[in-house]
Amino acid sequence: MRPSLAVTESWSIRNTPAMSSEQFELWQALLEERTGMTLSPERKSFLENSLAVRMRELGLDDYERYYEQLVAGSTEAKAMEWSVLVDRLTVQETSFFRHPGSFALVEEYVQRFIDERPPKSSLDVWSVGCSTGEEPYSLAMVISEQFQARQSSDYYGITATDISLPTLGKARKAVYNARKVERIDPQLRERYFRQLNEREYQVVDGLRDRICFARLNVLDLQQAPIRDMDIIFCQNMLIYFRRWRKRQIVTRLAERLAPGGILVLGAGEITDWHHPDLERVHFADALAFRRCR
């Protein structure tokens, strides 16, 4: 007999160990050291529940033992387990064409790119913090639509990066439930998705081939071999970082723009930031900067 929801929830609550303030601070420090992301005290229960679920899978019942396993185990085992845990702790709430104003700005930029650049130019795009792929695939649809409408001979490619290997695996498969896909414009859905069954759709190969998914920790941006990007799209990621870290990340992204390229951020994610080589792009419902020199 299947247990009721109430019974299941009470079982889960009883088996979630209580985390002391000292333990929370230890996990806070580890997460910030390795990813730059911060967890406020208000998110202590989120951390407890996330860790408890993973600990039950591993047969552990103590936060300190799990912590030691992550920091003192073999190098390969630590890396694999950390990858799994980061996937659990990273919020993956995303959708296709989230923040329409930002995609409208990209559409306008692509139109100008096609009109102003010589034939067979290459448009290089970077989706930072791409999660399960909805963002880079949305960018690919916008760009493909403009290239087809103008019968452009230009080429485009998208680099999509995230810290979580399991998340990147989902992005590469490009399989999404029908509820997510049904929100997309029907014409775009018809062109860029194929229905696998009643519940799932997959992005067509032609669009998937335009995107290269790669693991990248934004703390390692200085070593990232990514340069001269025409569009850098970074939204819903900076909210996890301290103010000084946000500025550091955005500055390093700005250094990777090609002349005339644009950096598109989430509205309200950063304030009072300036860069000598960038100017603000004034566009409705979007926060973006253009490299002017």
Side-chain angles (χ1 to χ4, degrees):
M1 180 177 176
R2 184 176 179 179
S4 67
L5 179 59
V7 172
T8 303
E9 288 178 344
S10 64
W11 179 89
S12 176
I13 292 171
R14 284 200 308 270
N15 286 271
T16 299
M19 176 181 283
S20 68
S21 298
E22 291 77 12
Q23 289 172 328
F24 178 66
E25 291 172 1
L26 198 65
W27 281 97
Q28 264 186 320
L30 180 66
L31 185 63
E32 184 165 5
E33 176 190 352
R34 295 192 178 184
T35 69
M37 297 184 291
T38 60
L39 281 178
S40 65
E42 291 75 23
R43 304 205 69 201
K44 181 170 177 284
S45 61
F46 162 77
L47 180 62
E48 283 180 330
N49 293 330
S50 298
L51 292 178
V53 169
R54 182 56 182 162
M55 284 169 16
R56 280 199 295 272
E57 294 171 351
L58 297 173
L60 302 173
D61 58 5
D62 183 272
Y63 293 118
E64 292 183 8
R65 283 183 60 198
Y66 187 32
Y67 182 90
E68 288 298 320
Q69 181 172 316
L70 279 170
V71 300
S74 68
T75 301
E76 184 177 354
K78 283 190 298 185
M80 291 179 63
E81 181 56 32
W82 181 250
S83 177
V84 172
L85 182 59
V86 166
D87 184 59
R88 301 290 179 85
L89 296 177
T90 303
V91 178
Q92 297 173 11
E93 182 181 345
T94 184
S95 60
F96 290 99
F97 299 102
R98 192 174 182 181
H99 304 301
S102 298
F103 287 99
L105 171 60
V106 170
E107 181 177 76
E108 181 184 271
Y109 179 88
V110 174
Q111 291 171 354
R112 289 203 316 273
F113 183 94
I114 296 171
D115 293 341
E116 297 173 2
R117 300 292 179 93
K120 299 185 179 180
S121 294
S122 176
L123 175 70
D124 298 309
V125 183
W126 182 10
S127 171
V128 186
C130 67
S131 189
T132 47
E134 287 89 336
E135 179 179 285
Y137 289 124
S138 296
L139 289 167
M141 283 185 269
V142 168
I143 297 168
S144 291
E145 286 294 290
Q146 294 307 311
F147 274 30
Q148 292 174 30
R150 285 169 164 70
Q151 299 182 330
S152 174
S153 60
D154 295 338
Y155 171 84
Y156 81 88
I158 299 174
T159 300
T161 60
D162 198 273
I163 191 174
S164 169
L165 286 173
T167 295
L168 289 169
K170 296 173 188 175
R172 290 189 185 98
K173 289 181 180 177
V175 175
Y176 301 97
N177 64 52
R179 186 177 58 182
K180 276 199 169 187
V181 175
E182 70 184 7
R183 301 173 186 172
I184 299 173
D185 179 277
Q187 292 183 346
L188 296 180
R189 186 170 64 240
E190 178 69 23
R191 276 196 286 273
Y192 299 111
F193 291 84
R194 63 188 182 94
Q195 188 168 1
L196 301 179
N197 50 58
E198 290 183 358
R199 299 182 302 276
E200 295 178 317
Y201 287 75
Q202 186 174 40
V203 178
V204 297
D205 292 346
L207 207 67
R208 293 167 63 191
D209 291 344
R210 295 288 186 170
I211 304 174
C212 174
F213 290 98
R215 184 185 181 278
L216 177 66
N217 187 334
V218 290
L219 297 188
D220 302 326
L221 280 175
Q222 281 186 309
Q223 288 77 46
I226 303 175
R227 297 285 188 280
D228 297 323
M229 307 305 292
D230 297 297
I231 301 172
I232 298 179
F233 204 90
C234 177
Q235 298 200 314
N236 308 310
M237 186 194 73
L238 295 175
I239 56 175
Y240 300 111
F241 300 93
R242 297 186 189 276
R243 184 180 179 186
W244 68 268
R245 182 89 71 184
K246 290 181 184 182
R247 293 169 177 270
Q248 182 185 69
I249 291 170
V250 174
T251 297
R252 288 175 178 169
L253 291 176
E255 294 167 353
R256 279 144 180 80
L257 279 174
I262 57 171
L263 171 62
V264 186
L265 305 173
E269 287 189 272
I270 191 169
T271 58
D272 301 325
W273 175 81
H274 304 281
H275 191 285
D277 295 338
L278 271 64
E279 61 183 7
R280 177 73 185 271
V281 176
H282 297 286
F283 195 90
D285 300 321
L287 175 62
F289 300 85
R290 177 181 292 106
R291 182 165 181 179
C292 52
R293 57 181 178 180

